[in-house]
Amino acid sequence: MIIPWEQLQPDTLTSLIKEFVTRDGTDYGFKETTTETRIEQVRAKLKQGEAVVLFSQSTGQCNIVARNSL
């Protein structure tokens, strides 16, 4: 189920994005970027509609995914 990011409390959204960008195995290429920069990049993708917040009712987990991967 897609959850509109605008319906999440700002602190909740930031925590979700932070967990996403700091997850093990996340690769951002050769250039190292700060966590804050990565958070803002993901937030921009959500605002542009290129990424969505996905909630799994069966597992109770939230994830951020590229819209074109759905």
Side-chain angles (χ1 to χ4, degrees):
M1 159 187 323
I2 295 176
I3 305 296
W5 65 268
E6 303 95 326
Q7 292 183 3
L8 297 174
Q9 293 293 322
D11 289 345
T12 302
L13 179 61
T14 299
S15 294
L16 178 64
I17 296 171
K18 184 174 182 178
E19 188 278 327
F20 174 74
V21 301
T22 58
R23 201 175 283 166
D24 287 343
T26 305
D27 183 12
Y28 290 92
F30 293 106
K31 183 180 177 187
E32 188 65 31
T33 56
T34 66
T35 300
E36 292 76 23
T37 298
R38 290 183 281 168
I39 289 171
E40 290 310 311
Q41 290 170 341
V42 172
R43 190 182 310 274
K45 297 287 185 189
L46 289 166
K47 288 179 180 180
Q48 296 164 359
E50 295 177 24
V52 296
V53 176
L54 201 59
F55 176 73
S56 170
Q57 291 180 332
S58 62
T59 65
Q61 295 181 341
C62 274
N63 197 11
I64 298 171
V65 298
R67 182 176 291 279
N68 64 6
S69 71
L70 298 176

